[in-house]
Structure formats: structure tokens, C-alpha cells
Amino acid sequence: MAYFAAVLARTGAGWDVSETELDDVETLADLTDLAREAAEDEDTVLVFIEQEDAWFAVLRIDGEDDPRIFVSDAAAAARSSYGAVLTDELIEQDGEADFDDLDGLVAGLDEEDGAVAEDADEDDEEPAGGRGANPVGPIGDSELLTEFGMTATDLLELAGEGAAPGDALGEIAEALGCGEVLEAVR
């Protein structure tokens, strides 16, 4: 699968954006180390990952704090090696208990859009670990960008059904004030 990955490092002058390769990334620790290499002092670093316009992820690292992760579609991401690194970590952190609320939220959004959640599930490809191994829809910390002007609601809307992950990353970058710089490395 083709992917796009960029590292956005917060600096005193704004954001420094660079495309990055994930070829040597096998674990979340590898990805976190890659991001920290781009940081100035203890400043915030974001990693944007998009895979074939199927899903996107944002990873946030603040100094030595544990990374915060948001994935637009856990089931789609789990079918790729880089996405699985992120979804496996989120599932390990949260356990299965939080997914009951997520399933209800996704079903509620589907009903509001006039779609029947059961019909959508029939068309979805089953994740490698079997149905239920990864929830369909967004997973992780939807509030990781609130201090930069992107609310949790806005981020969840960008991850909603029918949204284009590549466009979503562009909108997130615009909210951060680095949309043009991100487009330059795409």
C-alpha cells in the first residue's frame, strides 16, 4: 500500500514540515523516536500518516510524554503495517471497554446520515484479526489538536464516513497554519 507521511515540528516561528519515510518503523517507539529527532528542545511534534486515501492518523509527541494518537478508521488502518502499529497500541492502552461507546457513536452518526449501520458492516472487508478485532471508525485521542484550533468534533467530522483522508490532513494543516507548507512536501 502506498502511504504519505510527514513530520511537523513546532518551532518558535511556526511549523517546520518535512516528508518522511517510514521504512525503518516497526514499532510505536520507532515512530516516536523518528518524531523526536525533528523536535526543537521539548516542542510539540506531529506525525501525519495517510494510506491510499483509506485512513489517516495523527501522532502527537510533546517532549518525553507518551505519544497521543488519533486514527480515522481503526479497521482500515489495522490492515496495513503502519496502521497496525498505531491501532494495536490504542487497543492495548484502552482495552475493549471503550469500544462499546465508539460503536454507539458510529451507529448514531450512521442513523443521522440516513444510512443503516448494519448495511455498511456487510460491505466492509473483515479485519485480519476477525470481526470485532478493531472497531470500524475513529479511535484514539480526538482532542490531541484542540490547543492548535482543531476541536475534537472537527477532527471526528474529518474522519467521518465519506471523508477523504488526504483532504482531512490538508484541513488539519490549514487549522495549524501550515497548509501550504504541507502541500509543498506532498
Side-chain angles (χ1 to χ4, degrees):
M1 291 183 128
Y3 68 91
F4 167 77
V7 175
L8 294 83
R10 182 87 169 167
T11 66
W15 292 95
D16 181 29
V17 180
S18 59
E19 186 173 11
T20 190
E21 292 293 324
L22 301 179
D23 295 337
D24 295 329
V25 172
E26 295 180 12
T27 66
L28 180 60
D30 293 341
L31 186 56
T32 302
D33 290 344
L34 177 76
R36 285 190 176 123
E37 289 173 9
E40 285 187 12
D41 302 318
E42 298 291 312
D43 288 334
T44 299
V45 177
L46 302 174
V47 178
F48 286 179
I49 302 172
E50 175 206 347
Q51 203 137 35
E52 290 187 341
D53 220 22
W55 61 272
F56 73 89
V58 178
L59 177 78
R60 176 179 174 169
I61 296 100
D62 294 300
E64 293 300 317
D65 292 347
D66 288 339
R68 296 168 64 185
I69 306 165
F70 177 81
V71 178
S72 67
D73 186 335
R79 290 190 284 268
S80 72
S81 59
Y82 303 124
V85 166
L86 302 173
T87 58
D88 290 352
E89 177 68 22
L90 289 168
I91 289 169
E92 185 178 310
Q93 286 175 3
D94 295 335
E96 293 293 327
D98 290 348
F99 296 139
D100 293 335
D101 293 339
L102 177 65
D103 291 339
L105 173 64
V106 170
L109 290 173
D110 286 342
E111 289 170 9
E112 286 177 14
D113 290 338
V116 178
E118 295 167 349
D119 291 343
D121 288 343
E122 290 173 9
D123 295 336
D124 289 342
E125 186 176 314
E126 189 170 311
R131 175 101 23 226
N134 288 291
V136 174
I139 184 174
D141 184 354
S142 60
E143 296 181 349
L144 79 165
L145 300 173
T146 55
E147 74 182 71
F148 303 117
M150 175 69 60
T151 67
T153 303
D154 292 340
L155 189 57
L156 289 169
E157 284 179 13
L158 292 173
E161 190 170 329
D167 293 343
L169 290 181
E171 288 187 42
I172 293 168
E174 285 295 325
L176 297 173
C178 61
E180 289 180 18
V181 180
L182 179 67
E183 281 305 312
V185 299
R186 282 196 96 138

